[in-house]
Amino acid sequence: MKTAEIAQLLRLEVALDLRQRAAWGGMLLYVVSAVYVCFLAVKGGLGTATWNALYWIILLFAAFNALARSFQREEGGRQLYLYTLADPRSVVLARTVYNAITMMVLSLLSLMFYALFLGSEVLASADLPQFLLAVVLGGLGFATVLTLISAIAARAGNGLGLMAILGFPLVLPMLLAVMRASKLALDGVAWSVTSTYFGGLLLLDVITVTLAWVLFPYLWRD
Amino acid sequence: MKHWWWKSLAVALLLVASIAAFWVPLSPALVHVSPSRIAPGEVVIHVTGYNTHFTPEMRVFIENDGQQVCASMIETIDATHARIVMNVPQGLRASMSDLSVQGLLYPGAFYSDALGDGIENDGCGNVNKIELQTPGFTFPNRSILYESIRNLHFHVPMWFTMIVLMGISVWHSIKGLGDNSLDRDRKAVSAVHVGLLFCGLGLTTGAFWARATWGAFWTNDVKLNGAAVTALIYLAYLVLRGSIPDAHKRARLSAIYNVFAFMLLVLFLFVVPRLNAIDSLHPGNGGNSGFNDLDLDNRLRVIFYPAVAGWILLGTWMYDLRERSARLRELTEQ
Amino acid sequence: MRNFSLLTLLLLTSVSALGQDAAPGWLESTLYGNGKINVVILVVAVIISGIGLWMFSMDRRLRRMEKNLKK
């Protein structure tokens, strides 16, 4: 593992992304529209369980939308160029870290919009640090799973459609665990109960990143 | 002969297990007792048994908090129906009483209010051990399953076979990533095809059994979610393969997806249920007792394990046929 | 085709006749006692039909190969 190389690649990612500000605007607009559609559909008055479920469904689709781009720009010469410069493992780690940051920002922003439109009464009785931890860990989990899937879909030459088909069953375990954890956090359950969920989520994340790290070089070479 | 022994073993095991699965009788049990409330005085109780041999000489008593009330008259209608008259005294200590007929226990059979502080123990005698022993080799008689407990030997081996076939597929995918061979890819995809057949059979049989036992074709249960996710993953695997025209690229990408998905699937099947360990209807999960308890006792195991082995061997055999035919097709289409 | 349906009819009637004859026998009090055996029959039927369908698909694959070889 080369930390310096990863840091450099990460800086490259950020620089490239800052040049495409429209992409970020697109992602935000997607989330806001999704939240607004939900607001129109349910018109407030949600119970804790439904509030929680709806939030995670919005976040799930936002994650697919945001991370599908992850490897799409690699078509053509740029991949070859990166290939000569960097170790594929550094590339996938940098990309995972970058996607994780994206997802965390996106999930917190969408939480803000969500609370604004669909009411934040649910949060009043919640254990807020726990809930935010669940949100962050969930975003991290989506990012780790979908990074490799996005790379596979991009290499297969098929964009969002294939990514949704490949990614959905793999995200489901993560989604079920994180929904349960955030529901418990919203109910204000003690740390001693929820810590197993957070530990399990972290374990899932670590294993997923390790798998991506092992498998990515095979995907890279041609 | 070398190729035949395990195939013969598959047939033999399946034959023995399937015949036994139908042949072995269920152990006797009490299935219905009415009325469900008793009050002091004379009470007439109707008892329905299953696989029982009721006789007027059998020992019948109500047990309430360790104290017993004997039957005053027993009238057997036939081998499985009896009318029992009891004189219930004043002063039962507990609100729930059990009924014992011929050594068969029906726990929590009666409810009574107006509690007192004990009755004179009739002492109908401790049930002697001989009465409690079930005659011969039988399957356990569980309250909502009854005869459908035999499904254990047909439905559950489908999942074992599927997991083994997917394991074979992943093994070939890992090997294929190492040496880039299309042979490995063919083996992996053949195993997935046969595995999906067993997945479909497991889902369908499970749905019917669930309808008969729990009242719904599909319940929100970790095991069922696991099954659904497995089906989705491997259907996605086939979609991925279908969308890549180049054979080598298809082999590599699908192998990567296979390994990644299988590892996450294993986590989902064996780790996440531990996290959500509250709500499963299946044995071994949540509040339900596991395979070590009544659900899969030794009498069932004796048939269940040969059935699992037989189905796994049959699945492997089907995979072998599929793989060989795929290889032949490649040869003939060149 | 007609032969086939005739055979099915014959089979069905014989099965139902069997069911009527054996009215209060041991089967009613044991295996058929509470209708739960039907689901076992259904499950076994599903498995056998599933494997039967697989056999047909395998048959079709082989037939296609034979055609290719003849060409």
Side-chain angles (χ1 to χ4, degrees):
Chain A
M1 229 158 86
K2 301 156 196 158
T3 328
E5 195 175 59
I6 294 170
Q8 209 143 30
L9 283 166
L10 201 58
R11 227 170 296 149
L12 183 71
E13 292 287 332
V14 176
L16 278 176
D17 230 32
L18 282 180
R19 216 176 293 166
Q20 307 184 300
R21 255 166 252 170
W24 265 97
M27 274 193 284
L28 278 183
L29 203 58
Y30 186 91
V31 170
V32 173
S33 327
V35 169
Y36 195 66
V37 166
C38 287
F39 165 70
L40 290 180
V42 297
K43 297 210 166 78
L46 289 177
T48 313
T50 326
W51 193 92
N52 184 42
L54 214 50
Y55 173 68
W56 283 106
I57 290 169
I58 291 174
L59 207 58
L60 179 72
F61 285 98
F64 273 103
N65 187 48
L67 302 184
R69 309 176 311 118
S70 183
F71 280 87
Q72 295 294 344
R73 5 169 234 233
E74 246 69 286
E75 289 313 308
R78 189 166 162 249
Q79 184 208 330
L80 207 66
Y81 177 61
L82 262 181
Y83 180 51
T84 54
L85 282 179
D87 179 12
R89 291 193 163 142
S90 307
V91 172
V92 76
L93 281 185
R95 197 62 56 90
T96 306
V97 170
Y98 182 71
N99 285 341
I101 296 169
T102 311
M103 272 314 295
M104 279 178 204
V105 173
L106 199 61
S107 51
L108 291 175
L109 279 177
S110 44
L111 179 64
M112 210 176 71
F113 287 119
Y114 192 67
L116 203 70
F117 280 108
L118 283 128
S120 53
E121 306 87 72
V122 176
L123 290 174
S125 62
D127 188 334
L128 213 55
Q130 269 190 45
F131 181 68
L132 289 180
L133 182 64
V135 167
V136 165
L137 280 180
L140 192 71
F142 291 165
T144 52
V145 174
L146 292 182
T147 302
L148 188 70
I149 294 302
S150 143
I152 293 176
R155 299 286 279 147
N158 195 330
L160 195 59
L162 195 55
M163 174 150 163
I165 295 169
L166 295 180
F168 183 67
L170 296 186
V171 171
L172 211 71
M174 207 79 89
L175 185 71
L176 285 180
V178 83
M179 270 170 98
R180 181 61 66 91
S182 79
K183 174 72 172 50
L184 289 177
L186 285 176
D187 289 339
V189 175
W191 279 100
S192 54
V193 181
T194 49
S195 56
T196 45
Y197 287 93
F198 294 132
L201 275 172
L202 214 57
L203 184 78
L204 273 174
D205 287 348
V206 168
I207 292 173
T208 313
V209 173
T210 315
L211 277 173
W213 189 73
V214 170
L215 290 171
F216 192 73
Y218 295 104
L219 190 72
W220 196 252
R221 75 165 181 234
D222 228 349
Chain B
M1 228 35 224
K2 212 172 73 188
H3 299 287
W4 288 102
W5 73 267
W6 63 272
K7 294 167 188 170
S8 322
L9 183 66
V11 174
L13 284 171
L14 283 178
L15 205 61
V16 169
S18 304
I19 291 174
F22 274 105
W23 210 343
V24 174
L26 251 61
S27 54
L30 304 179
V31 291
H32 188 69
V33 175
S34 72
S36 56
R37 296 171 140 267
I38 47 170
E42 198 180 73
V43 182
V44 181
I45 298 161
H46 290 269
V47 180
T48 310
Y50 195 84
N51 281 3
T52 48
H53 294 284
F54 287 161
T55 56
E57 290 80 42
M58 64 189 174
R59 194 198 310 272
V60 179
F61 59 87
I62 289 177
E63 183 155 330
N64 182 288
D65 196 22
Q67 297 181 312
Q68 295 169 346
V69 183
C70 302
S72 47
M73 201 190 76
I74 299 166
E75 188 187 326
T76 51
I77 298 154
D78 57 32
T80 55
H81 293 86
R83 223 168 65 94
I84 293 155
V85 183
M86 295 246 177
N87 269 313
V88 181
Q90 295 277 352
L92 293 175
R93 271 200 301 229
S95 57
M96 299 308 288
S97 320
D98 308 334
L99 180 72
S100 171
V101 178
Q102 226 183 2
L104 302 170
L105 193 70
Y106 193 93
F110 308 110
Y111 174 82
S112 50
D113 32 40
L115 302 180
D117 36 283
I119 51 172
E120 262 179 64
N121 197 352
D122 264 6
C124 309
N126 292 324
V127 186
N128 54 49
K129 292 280 182 248
I130 304 150
E131 261 184 332
L132 278 172
Q133 271 172 11
T134 46
F137 185 79
T138 56
F139 287 149
N141 200 331
R142 303 258 303 161
S143 69
I144 51 170
L145 292 172
Y146 300 121
E147 292 287 352
S148 76
I149 200 164
R150 299 171 196 280
N151 267 343
L152 178 82
H153 308 303
F154 299 105
H155 161 71
V156 185
M158 298 294 121
W159 297 116
F160 281 74
T161 312
M162 183 202 76
I163 284 289
V164 168
L165 284 166
M166 297 317 185
I168 290 174
S169 170
V170 167
W171 167 250
H172 287 300
S173 281
I174 292 172
K175 283 287 188 183
L177 280 177
D179 58 15
N180 275 327
S181 82
L182 288 180
D183 279 358
R184 294 289 187 185
D185 184 49
R186 189 188 334 104
K187 285 180 177 158
V189 72
S190 302
V192 166
H193 271 291
V194 181
L196 272 175
L197 170 76
F198 278 93
C199 182
L201 290 179
L203 281 178
T204 328
T205 57
F208 285 132
W209 196 11
R211 179 79 180 99
T213 313
W214 300 323
F217 285 110
W218 193 267
T219 57
N220 190 2
D221 183 283
V222 276
K223 283 264 170 26
L224 274 91
N225 289 336
V229 166
T230 315
L232 285 176
I233 283 177
Y234 284 99
L235 288 173
Y237 171 83
L238 294 183
V239 170
L240 174 67
R241 295 184 64 88
S243 69
I244 309 168
D246 176 55
H248 283 278
K249 195 174 185 182
R250 177 171 62 219
R252 193 142 30 78
L253 291 187
S254 60
I256 291 169
Y257 184 70
N258 195 1
V259 176
F260 190 55
F262 186 78
M263 297 299 170
L264 289 187
L265 182 66
V266 167
L267 281 181
F268 185 45
L269 294 181
F270 301 107
V271 178
V272 177
R274 300 277 176 279
L275 288 181
N276 295 356
I278 319 161
D279 42 19
S280 179
L281 299 163
H282 277 85
N285 290 99
N288 286 8
S289 46
F291 272 6
N292 302 318
D293 208 54
L294 246 174
D295 282 299
L296 194 63
D297 70 1
N298 288 326
R299 294 169 290 170
L300 287 171
R301 269 176 224 266
V302 172
I303 312 298
F304 179 66
Y305 288 147
V308 167
W311 281 107
I312 288 175
L313 286 176
L314 187 79
T316 317
W317 188 3
M318 286 164 81
Y319 147 70
D320 187 47
L321 289 179
R322 169 101 200 184
E323 197 266 326
R324 279 153 64 194
S325 76
R327 182 163 48 200
L328 277 179
R329 197 162 105 185
E330 274 169 29
L331 288 175
T332 55
E333 277 175 4
Q334 263 165 14
Chain C
M1 208 55 218
R2 184 190 276 171
N3 275 342
F4 181 70
S5 50
L6 207 69
L7 193 74
T8 325
L9 198 73
L10 209 71
L11 266 174
L12 280 176
T13 45
S14 64
V15 165
S16 60
L18 198 81
Q20 278 157 11
D21 284 350
W26 63 274
L27 270 177
E28 261 67 15
S29 58
T30 55
L31 266 180
Y32 295 167
N34 42 29
K36 291 280 184 186
I37 193 69
N38 294 339
V39 69
V40 186
I41 304 287
L42 199 62
V43 160
V44 173
V46 164
I47 291 174
I48 291 175
S49 348
I51 291 180
L53 283 177
W54 186 85
M55 293 304 280
F56 275 115
S57 82
M58 183 55 95
D59 192 293
R60 219 183 51 203
R61 286 165 73 89
L62 289 173
R63 189 150 304 175
R64 212 159 38 200
M65 264 184 260
E66 284 167 348
K67 236 186 247 165
N68 272 336
L69 273 181
K70 266 184 208 140
K71 260 190 270 174

